[in-house]
Amino acid sequence: MGNIKNSLPNEQNIKSASFSVVDIEYMQRAIELASKGLYSTKPNPAVGCVLVKDGLVVGEGWHQQAGLPHAERVALAQAGELAFGATAYVSLEPCSHTGRTPPCADGLVEAGVAKVFVAMLDPNPLVAGKGIRKLTQANIETKIGLLEDQAKALNSGFIRKMQKKLPFVRLKMASSLDGRTAMADGESQWITGEEARIEVHKMRALSGALVTGIGTVLADDPSLTVRLPAEELAELNLTSENCHPLRVVLDPHLSMPLEAKMLSLSGRTIIMTSRDAVKASPELVELFQTKNIELVAVASEDDRLDIRSILSYLAEEEQINDVMVESGAIVAGAFMESGLVNELYCFMAPSLLGNQAKPMFVLPSVEHMANKIQLRIHSVETFGDDICIVSKPVVVKD
């Protein structure tokens, strides 16, 4: 925030004083409103806005979907003339550029808002302090940083994409208590219970893309769709048509069966393969194209697709903020070794599958204690008889 703040005009309008309990409550409400759009705003950030005048809330809004009015515009429309002289609490810096909707900073200025609290500056280079500049140039008192950490946690994927040109990666594994994911013959349904599986479908719905490996496709022929009841989708502001993430299959040798289940289901599927495979199999590539199957060639080494290239493509070409990896031990291990996983979700059932069953990760680089991948436990939650341990790698690469 410092570098942007130092470039702002009318800097005296940006106060550094502590915030009042009332201000905190209103911003908490703005963040609560923003969270309503977590599942539906992709690829836009989730944003909430509260307008307050004479101690009363006169307008509220949240960004529901890309292309629809932003949170500030919704709140201003609700407030009408009462917006004049009001105080706005916004979870993300008001936008200053015209995209599919007009600039929200202009809307606040035109409505005559007297004061604006902003939880965090927008990491988008198109905004990045320019919204604050418009407000201060209009002599609107502006305060930045109220509940900043909460606001950042809400849009971790959007922030990482804008700052690092990489998506936020959540790796999900389901295992027994002894860390096994399937029997030696591949049998795996079901290790965890129904409540845990429902939570996994919510995680899918939150994600812009779902990544798996060709080994999982060949072994299980998964759908990789969001399967939640209509009423639960409605609570997430989704429908059965727009709830499915982009499916991404890592397939270095173009082994994807044309009859794979996911290729005939709602939503898009991308097959990511190696450049060498594309060059070596022009007839197969043409066959995939005639079937309208999307192929993307990325860098590879030793028959392993480059994880950074995969993630960079998803962030920059597909505008994906959040990626969920749901795969077998080889792909899961490759992601962990890449250092590009932000959070690891381990759903564990109170059962033992034995030493002959398949492990959670294949980690060729971990041969000595010095090579271990160190994690920090973030949270532990129960789902029926199962637990979910969320941990974060101590080191995450940019």
Side-chain angles (χ1 to χ4, degrees), residues 46-119:
V47 184
C49 177
V50 176
L51 292 173
V52 179
K53 187 173 185 179
D54 299 327
L56 296 174
V57 174
V58 295
E60 291 187 337
W62 54 281
H63 186 37
Q64 297 185 31
Q65 185 177 325
L68 295 182
H70 290 186
E72 299 93 324
R73 292 281 179 175
V74 175
L76 289 169
Q78 189 180 103
E81 295 181 357
L82 292 176
F84 185 82
T87 296
Y89 296 83
V90 190
S91 62
L92 181 70
E93 177 184 0
C95 61
S96 56
H97 66 289
T98 299
R100 283 189 274 183
T101 57
C104 292
D106 290 356
L108 292 169
V109 172
E110 293 161 4
V113 167
K115 189 174 183 179
V116 178
F117 287 83
V118 175

Side-chain angles (χ1 to χ4, degrees), residues 4 7 38 43 48 92 113 120 125 150 156 182 213 216 231 237 245 254 286 315 337 370 374 379 397:
I4 296 174
S7 69
L38 272 176
L92 181 70
V113 167
M120 62 170 286
Q150 290 185 32
S156 54
T216 298
E231 57 272 18
N237 299 295
L254 284 180
E286 184 177 355
E337 288 184 322
Q374 189 65 50
S379 64
K397 295 180 181 178

Side-chain angles (χ1 to χ4, degrees), residues 267-283:
R268 290 172 59 205
T269 300
I270 287 180
I271 312 302
M272 284 200 167
T273 191
S274 65
R275 293 165 183 162
D276 290 341
V278 170
K279 291 178 183 177
S281 309
E283 297 86 0

Side-chain angles (χ1 to χ4, degrees), residues 339-359:
L340 296 171
V341 172
N342 299 95
E343 292 179 341
L344 173 62
Y345 287 71
C346 293
F347 290 84
M348 303 187 77
S351 60
L352 303 174
L353 299 187
N355 65 299
Q356 296 183 63
K358 296 186 177 183

Side-chain angles (χ1 to χ4, degrees), residues 36-208:
K36 292 176 178 287
L38 272 176
Y39 292 82
S40 59
T41 60
K42 305 183 286 280
N44 287 0
V47 184
C49 177
V50 176
L51 292 173
V52 179
K53 187 173 185 179
D54 299 327
L56 296 174
V57 174
V58 295
E60 291 187 337
W62 54 281
H63 186 37
Q64 297 185 31
Q65 185 177 325
L68 295 182
H70 290 186
E72 299 93 324
R73 292 281 179 175
V74 175
L76 289 169
Q78 189 180 103
E81 295 181 357
L82 292 176
F84 185 82
T87 296
Y89 296 83
V90 190
S91 62
L92 181 70
E93 177 184 0
C95 61
S96 56
H97 66 289
T98 299
R100 283 189 274 183
T101 57
C104 292
D106 290 356
L108 292 169
V109 172
E110 293 161 4
V113 167
K115 189 174 183 179
V116 178
F117 287 83
V118 175
M120 62 170 286
L121 294 177
D122 194 329
N124 185 346
L126 292 174
V127 183
K130 297 174 185 176
I132 300 297
R133 186 177 293 113
K134 283 192 174 186
L135 298 177
T136 57
Q137 286 176 339
N139 294 317
I140 295 175
E141 184 180 354
T142 306
K143 294 188 176 184
I144 305 170
L146 175 55
L147 300 187
E148 182 178 21
D149 289 344
Q150 290 185 32
K152 286 182 175 180
L154 198 67
N155 286 303
S156 54
F158 178 75
I159 294 169
R160 184 158 173 81
K161 183 182 73 176
M162 288 298 170
Q163 292 182 340
K164 308 298 182 183
K165 296 185 178 180
L166 291 168
F168 193 91
V169 179
R170 297 176 179 89
L171 172 57
K172 166 260 166 184
M173 299 298 291
S175 77
S176 58
L177 203 58
D178 54 347
R180 303 291 168 164
T181 61
M183 303 308 295
D185 63 0
E187 182 186 1
S188 62
Q189 294 186 338
W190 294 103
I191 293 176
T192 54
E194 182 178 359
E195 292 184 38
R197 295 198 297 273
I198 290 173
E199 183 63 18
V200 169
H201 281 280
K202 289 181 180 179
M203 289 179 64
R204 289 181 179 180
L206 180 66
S207 306

Side-chain angles (χ1 to χ4, degrees), residues 223-386:
S223 299
L224 297 186
T225 54
V226 174
R227 297 185 294 280
L228 292 171
E231 57 272 18
E232 288 198 40
L233 287 174
E235 290 179 5
L236 304 178
N237 299 295
L238 294 172
T239 67
S240 57
E241 287 74 36
N242 70 359
C243 65
H244 305 297
L246 172 67
R247 294 181 290 269
V248 181
V249 179
L250 309 188
D251 182 11
H253 301 296
L254 284 180
S255 305
M256 184 73 173
L258 295 177
E259 65 275 10
K261 189 190 304 180
M262 68 176 68
L263 296 178
S264 62
L265 299 175
S266 298
R268 290 172 59 205
T269 300
I270 287 180
I271 312 302
M272 284 200 167
T273 191
S274 65
R275 293 165 183 162
D276 290 341
V278 170
K279 291 178 183 177
S281 309
E283 297 86 0
L284 187 56
V285 170
E286 184 177 355
L287 178 60
F288 273 76
Q289 291 173 341
T290 60
K291 300 290 185 179
N292 294 318
I293 299 171
E294 297 182 66
L295 290 179
V296 174
V298 297
S300 63
E301 185 176 355
D302 298 330
D303 291 334
R304 295 178 66 170
L305 301 183
D306 181 67
I307 302 298
R308 181 177 290 275
S309 297
I310 293 164
L311 296 176
S312 294
Y313 176 88
L314 292 175
E316 298 187 51
E317 301 300 326
E318 296 291 343
Q319 295 302 302
I320 299 295
N321 297 331
D322 299 272
V323 164
M324 179 178 173
V325 181
E326 201 170 347
S327 68
I330 293 176
V331 169
F335 267 87
M336 290 304 301
E337 288 184 322
S338 75
L340 296 171
V341 172
N342 299 95
E343 292 179 341
L344 173 62
Y345 287 71
C346 293
F347 290 84
M348 303 187 77
S351 60
L352 303 174
L353 299 187
N355 65 299
Q356 296 183 63
K358 296 186 177 183
M360 295 175 72
F361 304 100
V362 172
L363 300 168
S365 67
V366 181
E367 295 182 313
H368 308 285
M369 287 295 288
N371 307 131
K372 66 183 178 183
I373 299 172
Q374 189 65 50
L375 308 165
R376 288 197 181 99
I377 302 297
H378 177 67
S379 64
V380 179
E381 191 172 353
T382 59
F383 294 94
D385 292 331
D386 307 318

